[in-house]
Amino acid sequence: DSGVTQTPKHLITATGQRVTLRCSPRSGDLSVYWYQQSLDQGLQFLIQYYNGEERAKGNILERFSAQQFPDLHSELNLSSLELGDSALYFCASSVVPTRYNEQFFGPGTRLTVL
Amino acid sequence: DQQVKQNSPSLSVQEGRISILNCDYTNSMFDYFLWYKKYPAEGPTFLISISSIKDKNEDGRFTVFLNKSAKHLSLHIVPSQPGDSAVYFCAASEGSSNTGKLIFGQGTTLQVKP
């Protein structure tokens, strides 16, 4: 158990809908990361937050947005969903936001768009 | 544009033998590399890392080798154990970035047979 929790574990929805994925980082971790893993693909970096502020951005679609709240939990919002958005979405956290800090991953949320 | 590539989707080895997992990268700005291991239904967990100022880093049964001129790294597991059966991801980060952004390969599924 990494200490990072993600809810829900599974989510099935229809095209055009909007969903919110939630992540609670490990106690004491200030930085949160979101990754997307599509079928047979590696993890694609989406976005990173540090203490409530956006720190780095990857190839995140405009239909996707995220935020980190004062209690440090984070939410990833996906809207106007398309079939291709079906994937595993991982959240990770680290104490500080630099690359030498180990990232601890949650178990992921599996999103299925029908 | 896949900047980190793991060209072998799968590898099968006998228990007790050496497992060698390979990873190639194209971005010459990458200067820190990591290996993550992932079991089914779990998030990836950090295994070992190497900075570009080194060509080898060892941690118990795991050794990572870096060949900067070839833009190639490999993970050696000796001796391999059935519990090592998992998906292994190679990841890299850029020196110019002071964030935790990681670029992952597609992963290699290792099966260690008893």
Side-chain angles (χ1 to χ4, degrees), chain A residues 42-43 48 55 97 99 103 105-106, chain B residues 31 43-44 93-94 98-100 105:
Chain A
L43 284 77
Q48 176 192 5
R55 180 78 172 204
R99 66 219 186 104
Q103 293 181 29
F105 282 78
Chain B
D31 67 348
S93 78
E94 274 189 40
N98 190 27
T99 71

Side-chain angles (χ1 to χ4, degrees), chain A:
Chain A
D1 183 356
S2 66
V4 178
T5 60
Q6 289 187 248
T7 56
K9 282 190 168 51
H10 302 276
L11 198 47
I12 301 174
T13 188
T15 54
Q17 296 298 305
R18 173 188 167 93
V19 297
T20 298
L21 312 184
R22 183 188 167 100
C23 168
S24 293
R26 290 188 325 154
S27 177
D29 285 359
L30 301 179
S31 194
V32 168
Y33 311 77
W34 286 98
Y35 292 88
Q36 178 194 53
Q37 185 185 16
S38 301
L39 192 64
D40 295 332
Q41 297 292 313
L43 284 77
Q44 303 290 320
F45 173 79
L46 294 178
I47 199 161
Q48 176 192 5
Y49 281 85
Y50 172 58
N51 213 13
E53 299 290 326
E54 183 182 303
R55 180 78 172 204
K57 212 166 185 176
N59 294 329
I60 186 167
L61 299 171
E62 284 191 15
R63 300 183 286 108
F64 295 3
S65 65
Q67 59 183 124
Q68 186 180 27
F69 294 86
D71 68 351
L72 300 177
H73 92 272
S74 178
E75 293 180 357
L76 178 67
N77 299 296
L78 315 176
S79 62
S80 302
L81 284 168
E82 302 175 0
L83 296 177
D85 298 327
S86 296
L88 257 175
Y89 291 84
F90 288 103
C91 169
S93 71
S94 64
V95 176
V96 291
T98 63
R99 66 219 186 104
Y100 298 114
N101 251 253
E102 181 178 344
Q103 293 181 29
F104 294 85
F105 282 78
T109 292
R110 181 171 293 281
L111 173 67
T112 302
V113 182
L114 301 174

Side-chain angles (χ1 to χ4, degrees), chain B residues 55-86:
Chain B
D55 53 21
K56 175 183 172 180
N57 189 25
E58 193 171 348
D59 183 2
R61 297 185 297 112
F62 302 91
T63 303
V64 56
F65 295 91
L66 176 61
N67 182 333
K68 289 186 291 291
S69 60
K71 293 192 177 70
H72 176 85
L73 61 154
S74 61
L75 174 68
H76 293 211
I77 306 173
V78 184
S80 301
Q81 299 173 353
D84 296 328
S85 297

Side-chain angles (χ1 to χ4, degrees), chain B residues 30-45:
Chain B
F30 288 152
D31 67 348
Y32 187 62
F33 304 89
L34 309 90
W35 285 93
Y36 277 79
K37 175 177 171 179
K38 184 185 179 304
Y39 292 117
E42 295 181 11
T45 55

